[in-house]
Amino acid sequence: MTHKIDPCTLVLFGASGNLSRVKLIPGLFRLDLLGRLPDTMKILSVGRQEVAPDAWHADIKSMLDAKFKNGVDAKVFERFIARNFYHANAPTDSNAFRKMKATLSDEKVFPQNLAFFLSVRPTDFAPVVDQLAAEGLTQEDKYWRRVVIEKPFGTDLPSAQELQKSISKHLKESQIYRIDHYLGKSALQNIMLQRFTNTLLEPIWNNQYIDHVQITNTEMLGVGDRTKFYDSTGAVRDMIQSHILQILALTTMELPKDLTPKGVRASKIKVLEQIRPIPVNELSKHAFRAQYASGVVNGEKVPGYLEELEDNSSVVETYAAMKLFIDNPRWQGVPFYIRTAKRLHEADTRICIRFKKAPLQVNSQDQNWLIIGIQPRECIKMEIQSKIPGLDINTRTIQLDAANRLPEDDTVDAYEALLLNLMQGDNSNYLHISEAEAQWRLVDPVVKAWAADKKPVYQYPAGSRDPEASKVIFEHEDQFWRTSIELGGDKP
Ligand code: BG6
């Protein structure tokens, strides 16, 4: 399905920041290259510094050169540069917003449908929207006006609600685009489609057949130079609060009424609101945290988190695992184990579903698994039992393995897809406020309880597998993390 795009102007706040240089501007260029931008579409980049038009165009060239090592098509480059303008504007300088309005009101240059992409500090989201509104730039009369809020949308439920209160003074829900870049990944968009377009999958996707589900996101990288940000955030807020809960929602939602943004989001909201709150009085049975110590990753010795932070007192988690239940007829009683970690033995994002025991058990340990690989490999695998050819009756596990992405498929960056959706007015891959709220409601008590507990946090060596101690959250003795998507990944 493709949607048409109205002529529009994208106003990019924070244009000289990292996200914009690495993802947004190169992403827009790629959309231009693919012929997906309307002819008259314009980009007004906004930054704090004064930059002359030629210098800005030269800067864009350097961003594209850094991204597209094989060079860029000269004709498309010329077309792209002609779309690009620059405006200096500090987030709180009302004079500058007035000038911006004057610039934008030149209808011969700038199409009047306006999308404002706020790639700025979270504390600037509300003030920028206030200023835009004061200039009448959020007002939808003849033309649409949309505002993209980069993550994080708040740092807990009260702050998310506060931000919502402030921006919804000026914007309707349909005008607010809250980003979770995971929703721009094709592999995530595939989850719902693969589930519901296959008769083979949907009938067994429930508590009658499923023993438990594991949703995993691990990285080999550490926190790098983001220690300050990370120590005020932690793995739960950084990864679980949105990326992993969104994967969970797509894995567990009911068939949407239709594929409209409203239909899809309503299904996700419903299931997110059906996740049972984690009982804080029994937290240690439902959630586990740890920090990476020094260790070896890819043959290289790396320091531990506390060393990088230069603060031994931090109790912030770099590994977080939780057990969740969903209170609805489809999922009653099925544990969902979710986890995320920095500096684990592999970098992998996946959904692993273990099915209940079959009526005939030849090897007692072997159960069916269905695995959806998200990254780095986009694939679907099924582990089934099969007779070992020969004179004896014995079975072994074999893996059916199919690629969800073929080598010839186009690779589209998540931000590219989301930018296109923004201009199309399709917000199905952006978060509704009810999703953001449900997610905060779920993680807030854990974050709070962990922050208050100052006992030293369990340490795992960088590059190792899951800490054995994380086993406390499993319901049954025979359940533990799969360590990989490969055959045998379910064995310790
Ligand atoms: C970001 C987190 O939202 O997602 C990072 O802040 C994390 O800590 C990143 O590394 C992972 O994104 P991706 O697309 O590389 O899986």
Side-chain angles (χ1 to χ4, degrees), residues 22 24 30 140 169 178 216 221 231 236 268 291 385 449:
V22 177
L24 304 179
R30 276 253 311 162
E140 287 190 321
K169 282 194 295 226
R178 300 173 194 82
T216 299
L221 292 173
D231 206 57
V236 171
K268 281 201 291 163
Q291 286 172 335
Q385 303 309 308

Side-chain angles (χ1 to χ4, degrees), residues 151 181-182 185 219 226 229 238-239 243 342 375:
K151 65 180 172 256
H181 79 278
Y182 266 50
K185 293 180 191 256
E219 295 177 280
R226 298 199 303 161
F229 156 80
D238 191 37
M239 291 300 301
H243 302 331
K342 301 243 181 239
Q375 59 188 32

